[in-house]
Amino acid sequence: MEFRLLGTVSVDTRRGPLPLGPAKRRSLLAALLLSANTPVPMGRLTACLWDDEPPSQARGVIQGHVSRLRALLTEGDAEAYGVELLTAGDAYALRLPETLLDAQRFEELLTLAREQRDPADAVLMLGDALALWRGPALGGAFAGPPLQAAAHSLEESRLSAVEQLALAYGRLGEHHRAAAVLRTEAVAHPLRESLSAALMTALYQAGRQSEALDWFHRTRRLLADELGIDPGRELADAYGLILRGDPVPELLAARPKPTPKPEADPVRPPVPPRPALVPAEAHADLLPRAPRGFHGRGAELAALGRAAAGEAPVCLVTGPAGVGKTALALWWAHRNADAFPDGRLFADLHGFSDTGEPSVTEVLREFLLALGVPPRRIPESAPAAAALFRTLTDRLRLLVVLDNARDSATVRTLLPGGADCVTVVTSRHRLEGLIASDAARPVPVGTLDAQDGTALLAGVLGEERVLGEPVAARRLAELCGGLPLALRVTAARLAGRPQWSLAHLADELADERGRLAHLAVDDTGVPAALRLTVQHLPGEAAHHFGRLGHHPGTHFDPYTAAALAGTDPPAAARALERLGAAHLVTETAPGRWELHDLVRLYARDLDPATGPTALTGALDHYIATALAAAETAQPGGEPCFALPEDFRRPSAVRDFADRAEAMDWLAAEREDLARAVTAARAAGLDDRAWRIILLQWPQVVWRSRDNWVPLLYTALECAQAVDDPYAESRVRTLLGWVLSEEGRLVDALTLLEPSPALARRTADRLGEATALVNLAVVQSAQGDLNAALANCARAATLAREEGNPHTEMLALLHLSRTHLSSGDPDRALHVARTALDLGPEHEEAARTSLLHTVSGEAHLALGNKTEALHLLERAADEAESTGYDEGAVRALEALLRVSGRADHRKRHEEAVRRLAGEDR
């Protein structure tokens, strides 16, 4: 659970954001959060919710909001997080751990940033702090005077953080980046002289003196015009310094040391002599040989070098099985041997193996012996041995590599004591406990791109063999998913079979059914590495992992994972966190996860028998979620269809806050919905397939020319395969309309003519009405206006009898347009007004825009140019404000017929570009 003040006031839970409702309830929550864990009197709450004389029933209103807020928090499982809304006499208090409040985390990060000696660390912390902001503070709340003051204070803190970030960039010598972050805020706050002065200084330090001076004159003019004052001392001093060409004292004093060459990492200053317990000639070196065939990883090596340059650093190299964590650590250790004159220690902790982990005492004994401690002086207990190890290393410059660590506790015991020692830990787990307790700096390791993967193959097979089949080599790298272990196994198979071509092995790997078998040799390979990771999973995480392998799409969220596994989103979210910590899934965005292809194949093979159940659960989840999206996109509209008889309703369905969020989900999921259709058809679930396609109708209507025809023809095949006239009519109606929008009128007519009769066969009166409307559109375009008028009128009657104003508006819109085409603008205007009079609660932006367009065109035909221009402007504005480019083009085209204004032409050109996809 997370409470947000830095942006829209909201509460995020595992199941999604709580529906807080009206602005005053958000104001109440904001007032309680701003005084978290402290009683807030009724009088202060009243001042926050009303900026003038409060109503007589203000107390009752507040009590009602408190009651509803309590209920929402209970639904969000607040008690599990230690959150409680308490009554304290004539006051209320929201008790919660302050770590759940974004404003509190923001202030903590600012404090930590100020304490950092390394400006690079300060940049990271300030970046994390500013990333917490998602818009103006206390958004969505009714801002009474106390909340206005609080929002202003939070904004001041944010601007101060931006200035600190710019200063830290300056200390690093990254003046261009400092100028970039300052410019954005200086534009937004042009009268804040400190921002302008800092921006001028950053531009000057970046060698952009003329820009700096231009900014001064711009600010000076603005101060004079807006406030009637001259620049203050800070701004004037910056201007004078730039004119004189003087250095900036603060930045010069903090200027970083010269950056070392890329192949060398930072070297620490000399340290005092080693303690007497260690013989002067001792030089510990337990490091294995450098890996052979190592290639690429320039960014990761640089990141490891930066992480190792801090004070008493612990570097945490993490990533999935087989990604090359150990190779990276060893390569870096050998390349930087000179930086550690007192030696290099190495221990494989076997955290993910069948052989069992060595005891901490065994590892410490090996370390102490390497440091020259006589065997008789090595303590037998782990705590005592660890204490001696920390003492001996207190004044050494030593590298310790702890490979394959499974948990943070083991690593902590093995950390050296010296500020000049570096510890590199590799693990398949994120080891967040080590980050929290010892400020370990993560260095995540991902898969290789195709170029580096091909180079790795060449390093084992020889360049001649790879250069002889460059296309096949690249294909092999892609089929191995950039996983170094898979690439090395592939290279080993080819090296032992010189008669094989690379293309032959690529063809074998292309078959998913046998790919993992080809990526295993002897006792090593991808399946073995994954098995050792999976066997350490708790039961719930292992259960979810096995079901994720049957997911038909490329990404998933807790709702999808729950549907696959037959659980609920909170349980799925916990499992995904655990799988993410083990690097079996990757979180690509908050709440959005992916599986590596080879991991997906392994998970799928764990329990093949669960595949059909898991797939059906995922398909029904998509149907339920898309239904919710369609209902939010056009609330109150008729559902697309009846659910299948064996439909398995998910335990929870995602809630969409508004139309924009619903449309964004449909757009983001388009590719995965198409994959789900393919999987459904392969499994013989055509009844699900056509429904998943049809549920995308809000996007189809919104972007009708966005290549929907192939998918809709697939839906038609599915509907015919299950011999469902109801489904066939619905699909034909939508497909015929899309074809008509693409100008394929003959094909559209062929599709649409049977549709009304099919709908009548199943008593689908609203489906029949929509089919008649779409058929009328095509008939009108082909000049058969009488048939079009009759069909539109019949459709309007059906919709009215069924009590469905949405469909009635649609029929009246096209009836009006057809009257206009037939030369009867009076009748067209009357019908359009009838449609608009159905009530604003039934209006939808696209349809309203089109009705205003046809009304404007009717007025033009009647000679009422002034009213026509007014209505067409309104139609264009409505369409543009909601992103309905099709409607914008229609309204602006009508405007251009009677207006030569340049702004109309420009808006029309921009809408046409958007519609063609040039701006997307």
Side-chain angles (χ1 to χ4, degrees), residues 297-320:
R297 300 296 191 195
E300 290 88 347
L301 288 168
L304 185 52
R306 290 193 298 271
E311 183 177 353
V314 178
C315 311
L316 184 54
V317 179
T318 63

Side-chain angles (χ1 to χ4, degrees), residues 681 684-691 693-694 710-733 735 747 750-755 758 761:
R681 297 199 73 192
L685 298 172
D686 291 286
D687 61 333
R688 262 75 172 180
W690 74 261
R691 285 177 165 88
I693 296 171
L694 206 64
L711 192 64
L712 287 167
Y713 267 118
T714 298
L716 183 58
E717 292 173 7
C718 294
Q720 292 170 334
V722 295
D723 193 22
D724 185 346
Y726 170 86
E728 185 177 345
S729 170
R730 293 273 169 148
V731 175
R732 281 178 176 273
T733 296
L735 175 55
D747 293 340
T750 302
L751 261 296
L752 287 166
E753 282 182 332
S755 191
L758 287 167
R761 280 174 55 190

Side-chain angles (χ1 to χ4, degrees), residues 164-216:
Q164 288 184 54
L165 177 61
L167 182 60
Y169 277 139
R171 292 178 61 200
L172 289 169
E174 296 179 8
H175 305 295
H176 289 286
R177 299 186 71 176
V181 299
L182 288 167
R183 184 185 292 274
T184 300
E185 299 303 333
V187 169
H189 303 275
L191 298 178
R192 188 180 176 98
E193 293 189 51
S194 60
L195 276 174
S196 293
L199 174 58
M200 289 167 56
T201 303
L203 290 169
Y204 172 57
Q205 288 293 106
R208 295 151 67 182
Q209 182 176 354
S210 61
E211 287 184 57
L213 294 174
D214 285 344
W215 197 267
F216 169 80

